Amino acid sequence: MARSHSSQPKPSTGGGSGGGGDPPRRRTAAGGADDGGSVAAAQEKVARAANFGRPGASGRPGAPGASAVKGPAAKIPLKPPNNRHNVNSIRPQSPPKNKNTIVLPGTDVLGDLAEISAGRGTWIEQANQYEVNGRRYIVESTGTVIPVSGPGFVNLSRPEYRVLKQLIGSGGDIDAAREALRRDPSISEADWQPALDVFKHHKSYRGEA
């Protein structure tokens, strides 16, 4: 009687213990190793979003609503204003200028810069300024922006800025600030109210004025 030949599965020839074949590959971040959550990857994602719409930029350069970036933002990355402009970052040693624009809390300056970098701000060449969301900015050669005017910005003169610095340096003690500046000939009574109006937005304000 002829034997029946049953086909048996061939033994695995793959290496390793247990199952055969190659182990599944790990998914990696685009263009790199297994660092999808790394800071570098996040920064690259932000940069791609800011560059959206720039000529030659990665992504979708021809997307609706995107436009070519004009002015210095087309060549250099924009940087936030110096701390001397942010009311809660002003220090006693912050240098006063003839004109001092203060950024009040809640003003989305970083959002404005992203809009400008994406080509959605208006470049006013004759003034060397950008306008976005009603606010205007100058860009220095380093890429640092200077707030100029608009919602959330307040302009102070040099004496008014000095009063504001003293109020901050006195920890919100208005009487102590007045005493410290009492003999300063460059400070007049008219300089106090504009400074106090800005100081009301400072974290050390005690509600006394």
Side-chain angles (χ1 to χ4, degrees):
M1 185 174 180
R3 291 182 180 179
S4 60
H5 297 280
S6 60
S7 58
Q8 298 294 330
K10 294 182 180 180
S12 171
T13 57
S17 59
D22 296 331
R25 296 182 179 179
R26 293 181 62 189
R27 291 187 177 182
T28 62
D34 300 326
D35 61 352
S38 69
V39 173
Q43 289 177 335
E44 182 181 354
K45 183 177 180 181
V46 171
R48 285 199 301 268
N51 286 330
F52 183 82
R54 287 191 181 185
S58 60
R60 298 162 53 206
S67 60
V69 181
K70 299 179 180 179
K75 302 176 183 178
I76 54 177
L78 301 184
K79 302 175 185 178
N82 186 282
N83 283 340
R84 65 178 296 276
H85 295 284
N86 299 318
V87 65
N88 280 317
S89 299
I90 294 173
R91 299 290 180 264
Q93 64 270 25
S94 297
K97 304 292 180 68
N98 288 333
K99 182 179 180 181
N100 307 272
T101 306
I102 310 301
V103 179
L104 300 181
T107 306
D108 190 9
V109 171
L110 294 181
D112 288 350
L113 301 193
E115 291 283 298
I116 293 171
S117 297
R120 293 187 285 271
T122 300
W123 170 242
I124 306 171
E125 187 173 4
Q126 61 271 27
N128 194 34
Q129 296 177 359
Y130 286 102
E131 182 171 341
V132 62
N133 297 321
R135 289 181 282 271
R136 286 198 176 198
Y137 299 88
I138 293 174
V139 180
E140 295 183 314
S141 59
T142 59
T144 300
V145 301
I146 301 174
V148 177
S149 62
F153 295 164
V154 178
N155 293 315
L156 297 181
S157 65
R158 182 185 292 268
E160 292 165 351
Y161 189 82
R162 291 187 62 189
V163 171
L164 176 61
K165 288 202 307 174
Q166 187 60 57
L167 288 165
I168 293 171
S170 298
D173 188 333
I174 296 175
D175 291 337
R178 283 189 173 275
E179 181 60 27
L181 296 176
R182 184 170 60 88
R183 296 180 181 276
D184 190 331
S186 67
I187 305 298
S188 69
E189 185 61 32
D191 299 321
W192 281 86
Q193 194 57 54
L196 284 168
D197 289 342
V198 172
F199 182 65
K200 291 176 182 178
H201 298 274
H202 192 268
K203 55 190 175 183
S204 66
Y205 176 61
R206 303 177 183 180
E208 298 175 0

